[in-house]
Amino acid sequence: MKIQCVIFNYNLPEQTDKTYDILIKNSFLPEHIIVVDNGSDKSPQALSTNLSLPFNVRFSGQANTTLQFLMTYRPSDYYLLITTSAKLDPAVNYFDICHQTIDELSESFGVVMASLIGGETEKITPEQSHHDLVHQTIPYRAVYSAQPIMTLVSHRLLSICYKKHAAYFNTDLKRGHGIDIELQHMALSHGLTTVVSRDLWVHWKTNQAHKLNLADESAYEYRCQAQAEMEKCFAKRYGEQWEIQFRSQFAKKNDTKMKIPTRSRYKFASLRQLWYRIKLSFFRLRKKSK
């Protein structure tokens, strides 16, 4: 089996090169690692860069362009997708664990996401916590809307998403928010595995570019815009009941209990988009007045 690694970078060359070095030490071959730069404009490119975009096309553009290129000209059985929010641990052999995971789940392999240590794990996605997972005997857990900062995904699932213009190929999700939910939805809709792994884990380094003043927008602007993009896209594509639909599907497919809202939080999507624009306008005015 062949695994193609992809490291997505924008203005964080040092973190990118550290990730690349660990993958090399783990026995991944250089020709099986693509380091794609998304038009870095506040820092030099990483030394390991071997695919460069001329300007920032946001995360969905970066992922869409890179994966279409790889699936056409260098297709693999599986793809290990890594963002700079993931700090790989030198004590973990990611090559061995990826192959072990594929062997265990190969019959219906869809997507496996890394469990997390640190960052905002306990606040945002506690079920994805590596520390929590080590206390259970089964090495995998179904988690609704897991953070996709390191994702092992099959060519089969990516091909489905490509045909549906979904997840990594949904360019309406410009900042990437919602890719995890739609990827999970596509996997479950086609009978494929979607779980978090106990043994495949990374440290979660949140908002690194923002903390180093290397992002092209503030963290607040990013969150507002990303949330607005997801809500507008999913309401148009799946209807305003999309969250109820996605959560119900997850609960049924995984035979698990979870909180399913009785009414849509995303009703009147167009009015919510207007509200986000108003909030951003006030935020920018306050910044200018300081």
Side-chain angles (χ1 to χ4, degrees):
M1 75 189 73
K2 181 179 173 184
I3 301 174
Q4 179 73 54
C5 302
V6 182
I7 306 172
F8 298 106
N9 174 45
Y10 176 62
N11 286 332
L12 293 171
E14 183 179 343
Q15 294 87 334
T16 299
D17 284 332
K18 286 181 179 178
T19 297
Y20 178 86
D21 290 342
I22 288 177
L23 294 177
I24 290 294
K25 289 176 182 177
N26 284 178
S27 300
F28 284 104
L29 298 175
E31 57 265 33
H32 291 165
I33 306 174
I34 291 291
V35 180
V36 54
D37 184 90
N38 193 17
S40 290
D41 48 13
K42 295 185 179 181
S43 293
Q45 293 186 357
L47 297 175
S48 54
T49 300
N50 51 20
L51 180 61
S52 180
L53 303 180
F55 51 86
N56 180 4
V57 291
R58 300 292 181 187
F59 180 74
S60 68
Q62 184 184 24
N64 177 44
T65 302
T66 305
L67 291 173
Q68 282 200 54
F69 171 78
L70 288 174
M71 292 169 71
T72 302
Y73 297 105
R74 191 180 286 180
S76 297
D77 302 306
Y78 301 90
Y79 301 82
L80 183 63
L81 310 179
I82 309 167
T83 73
T84 46
S85 294
K87 179 184 178 184
L88 278 61
D89 195 291
V92 179
N93 189 311
Y94 293 93
F95 181 89
D96 289 345
I97 290 172
C98 283
H99 281 84
Q100 175 188 329
T101 302
I102 291 166
D103 287 341
E104 291 174 351
L105 303 174
S106 59
E107 286 187 13
S108 59
F109 196 104
V111 57
V112 173
M113 296 182 187
S115 52
L116 307 176
I117 292 178
E120 297 185 78
T121 303
E122 303 304 328
K123 176 183 177 182
I124 295 177
T125 179
E127 290 187 320
Q128 199 173 349
S129 168
H130 174 71
H131 293 314
D132 187 46
L133 278 160
V134 295
H135 296 300
Q136 70 172 40
T137 54
I138 301 172
Y140 305 103
R141 173 186 288 169
V143 176
Y144 180 77
S145 186
Q147 293 292 318
I149 67 173
M150 174 185 267
T151 306
L152 182 62
V153 58
S154 68
H155 184 92
R156 180 182 177 186
L157 178 54
L158 284 183
S159 296
I160 292 169
C161 291
Y162 174 69
K163 292 175 183 176
K164 301 282 188 179
H165 303 288
Y168 293 106
F169 305 99
N170 184 347
T171 52
D172 289 330
L173 302 174
K174 295 176 184 175
R175 290 163 177 79
H177 192 51
I179 283 177
D180 53 328
I181 304 174
E182 195 167 36
L183 185 67
Q184 187 174 65
H185 173 64
M186 287 293 130
L188 293 175
S189 296
H190 292 82
L192 301 178
T193 303
T194 169
V195 292
V196 167
S197 168
R198 177 192 65 199
D199 301 326
L200 183 68
W201 61 271
V202 294
H203 302 273
W204 188 10
K205 311 299 286 186
T206 54
N207 299 323
Q208 290 191 89
H210 293 104
K211 291 173 183 176
L212 295 169
N213 198 29
L214 296 172
D216 64 342
E217 60 188 347
S218 72
Y220 179 80
E221 286 178 294
Y222 169 82
R223 286 193 294 270
C224 281
Q225 297 278 30
Q227 182 72 17
E229 288 165 1
M230 181 188 74
E231 291 183 16
K232 181 179 180 181
C233 172
F234 287 173
K236 182 178 179 181
R237 180 173 288 199
Y238 301 106
E240 291 184 345
Q241 303 292 321
W242 66 265
E243 186 185 27
I244 297 173
Q245 176 189 338
F246 282 12
R247 285 179 174 270
S248 298
Q249 179 197 46
F250 177 85
K252 182 179 180 181
K253 294 287 186 180
N254 291 289
D255 192 24
T256 186
K257 293 182 179 179
M258 68 180 303
K259 187 176 181 180
I260 300 174
T262 55
R263 68 175 82 180
S264 174
R265 290 190 298 164
Y266 304 112
K267 203 169 183 180
F268 309 117
S270 59
L271 291 178
R272 289 175 64 86
Q273 307 314 307
L274 177 60
W275 170 237
Y276 282 124
R277 287 196 291 271
I278 293 171
K279 285 173 65 178
L280 278 174
S281 296
F282 277 116
F283 175 78
R284 288 164 181 163
L285 283 172
R286 284 203 309 268
K287 281 181 68 178
K288 287 181 180 180
S289 62
K290 288 182 180 179

